[in-house]
């Protein structure tokens, strides 16, 4: 009986390792498929809907810089309406360390550093957290392969991702990777620290740029606990622009408006 018991434990451990390795392989393949974009700028509309169905719209410009051997750098600047115009967010993503983030508030003309303990909070009243704004580096998670299914003729793998950062606002994500379309992410389900489903983000209306880089035309986020929604609608993608490191400093935050 002891021999049988240890055999069962060994098989279970082997299966767990296989699921972890397979999940990691999918995540690495997704990352490798997007390497080399260098930089891009894009315009967005952020459409917020509260639990009563009332909507408000904000216009945003964003730019991203690819960083070798680390996470990407990004700048988000609010252009309209007037009450948020000039507000800007700077993010230095990292592979293993906590992301560095700064928020410029034009009303007080100050740059505020976002502490790691506050990154689960909502960004500018949306259903996105500060944590969501960083690039999704492979090293930020451990993984578990769940299963594969077919969606509109494409193979899609379901992978559970567990944040390494103990201060993450999430206990896990369930991500849906399209294996036949450069491993692009189709949907992510986010679970809160208690393990309850918090929100779902769908990546919609994908387009391919430069013959390689898939980008969604819209991100649709619904919060299942508050019944609030956020839509990010993208336009005017411009790849390999003349964006440099100098565009991502705290001083550039103040100049963004």
């Amino acid at each position: 009986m002891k021999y049988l018991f240890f055999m069962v434990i060994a098989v279970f451990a082997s299966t767990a390792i296989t699921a972890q390795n397979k999940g990691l392989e999918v995540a690495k393949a997704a990352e490798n498929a997007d390497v080399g974009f260098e930089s891009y700028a894009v315009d967005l509309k952020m459409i917020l809907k509260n639990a009563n169905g009332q909507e408000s719209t904000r216009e945003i410009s964003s730019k991203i810089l690819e960083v070798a051997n680390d996470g990407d750098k990004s700048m988000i600047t609010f252009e309209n309406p007037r009450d948020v115009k000039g507000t800007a967010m700077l993010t230095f993503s990292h592979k293993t360390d906590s992301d560095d983030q700064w928020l410029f508030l034009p009303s007080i003309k100050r740059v505020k550093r976002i502490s790691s303990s506050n990154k689960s909070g909502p960004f500018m009243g949306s259903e996105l957290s500060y944590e969501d704004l960083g690039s999704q580096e492979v090293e930020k998670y451990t993984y578990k392969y769940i299963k594969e299914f077919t969606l509109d003729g494409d193979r899609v793998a379901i992978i559970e991702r567990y944040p390494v950062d103990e201060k993450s606002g999430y206990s896990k994500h369930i991500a849906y990777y399209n294996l036949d379309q450069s491993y692009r992410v189709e949907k992510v389900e986010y679970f809160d620290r208690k393990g309850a489903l918090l929100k779902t983000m769908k990546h919609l209306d994908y387009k391919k740029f430069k013959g390689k880089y898939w980008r969604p035309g819209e991100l649709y986020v619904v919060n299942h606990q508050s019944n609030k929604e956020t839509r990010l609608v993208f336009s005017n993608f411009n790849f390999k622009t003349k964006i440099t490191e100098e565009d991502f400093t705290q001083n550039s935050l103040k100049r963004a408006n």
Side-chain angles (χ1 to χ4, degrees), residues 35-73:
V35 168
F37 69 83
E38 296 182 9
S39 65
Y40 68 88
V42 63
D43 296 326
L44 304 89
K45 284 189 177 182
M46 176 186 279
I47 304 166
L48 308 178
K49 180 186 288 188
N50 65 23
N52 296 321
Q54 298 168 316
E55 291 189 355
S56 60
T57 300
R58 297 167 175 179
E59 295 178 3
I60 302 171
S61 63
S62 177
K63 50 191 174 185
I64 311 290
L65 180 69
E66 186 177 31
V67 179
N69 302 315
D70 203 0
D72 301 335
K73 294 183 177 182

Side-chain angles (χ1 to χ4, degrees), residues 6-191:
F6 287 120
M7 282 292 292
V8 171
I9 293 297
V11 170
F12 178 80
S14 176
T15 302
I17 292 171
T18 300
Q20 182 177 356
N21 290 344
K22 196 169 183 179
L24 178 60
E25 288 174 2
V26 171
K28 285 184 175 179
E31 182 176 70
N32 291 335
D34 202 51
V35 168
F37 69 83
E38 296 182 9
S39 65
Y40 68 88
V42 63
D43 296 326
L44 304 89
K45 284 189 177 182
M46 176 186 279
I47 304 166
L48 308 178
K49 180 186 288 188
N50 65 23
N52 296 321
Q54 298 168 316
E55 291 189 355
S56 60
T57 300
R58 297 167 175 179
E59 295 178 3
I60 302 171
S61 63
S62 177
K63 50 191 174 185
I64 311 290
L65 180 69
E66 186 177 31
V67 179
N69 302 315
D70 203 0
D72 301 335
K73 294 183 177 182
S74 65
M75 174 84 80
I76 297 171
T77 306
F78 286 79
E79 309 289 353
N80 278 300
R82 182 178 298 178
D83 62 336
V84 295
K85 180 177 173 61
T87 302
M89 180 78 188
L90 175 64
T91 299
F92 289 4
S93 297
H94 301 297
K95 287 184 176 294
T96 54
D97 295 333
S98 181
D99 294 345
D100 293 309
Q101 294 181 305
W102 300 268
L103 182 68
F104 175 68
L105 300 170
S107 59
I108 58 175
K109 295 182 169 59
R110 285 183 55 190
V111 174
K112 174 185 177 182
R113 185 180 179 90
I114 307 300
S115 70
S116 57
S117 59
N118 291 333
K119 290 182 181 177
S120 61
F123 173 65
M124 296 295 289
S126 73
E127 297 316 302
L128 298 171
S129 69
Y130 290 96
E131 182 177 350
D132 298 331
L133 302 181
S135 57
Q136 301 301 298
E137 304 300 317
V138 169
E139 292 83 356
K140 288 183 174 181
Y141 308 98
T142 59
Y143 300 87
K144 181 181 178 182
Y145 178 91
I146 303 301
K147 66 177 182 179
E148 185 179 308
F149 68 99
T150 301
L151 176 67
D152 297 331
D154 292 336
R155 295 174 300 132
V156 175
I158 301 178
I159 308 295
E160 288 188 354
R161 308 189 305 207
Y162 305 93
V164 174
D165 187 352
E166 294 180 352
K167 294 182 179 179
S168 171
Y170 308 116
S171 59
K172 71 175 180 180
H173 308 166
I174 298 180
Y176 295 70
Y177 291 85
N178 191 320
L179 305 182
D180 293 325
Q181 300 293 342
S182 299
Y183 294 85
R184 71 190 193 193
V185 174
E186 303 289 352
K187 180 174 71 171
V188 182
E189 297 166 346
Y190 297 84
F191 292 76

Side-chain angles (χ1 to χ4, degrees), residues 188-241:
V188 182
E189 297 166 346
Y190 297 84
F191 292 76
D192 65 19
R193 294 299 302 174
K194 295 180 179 179
L197 178 62
L198 174 63
K199 64 188 181 186
T200 299
M201 178 187 293
K202 293 182 179 179
H203 298 226
L204 307 171
D205 301 328
Y206 269 103
K207 291 184 180 179
K208 186 186 286 188
F209 296 88
K210 301 294 182 181
K212 178 180 179 181
Y213 307 111
W214 287 101
R215 293 294 183 273
E218 179 180 336
L219 296 179
Y220 171 66
V221 186
V222 56
N223 188 313
H224 302 289
Q225 298 182 10
S226 68
N227 293 320
K228 295 180 180 179
E229 301 176 7
T230 296
R231 292 173 56 212
L232 293 177
V233 181
F234 299 83
S235 62
N236 303 321
F237 276 98
N238 187 8
F239 275 76
K240 300 192 175 181
T241 60

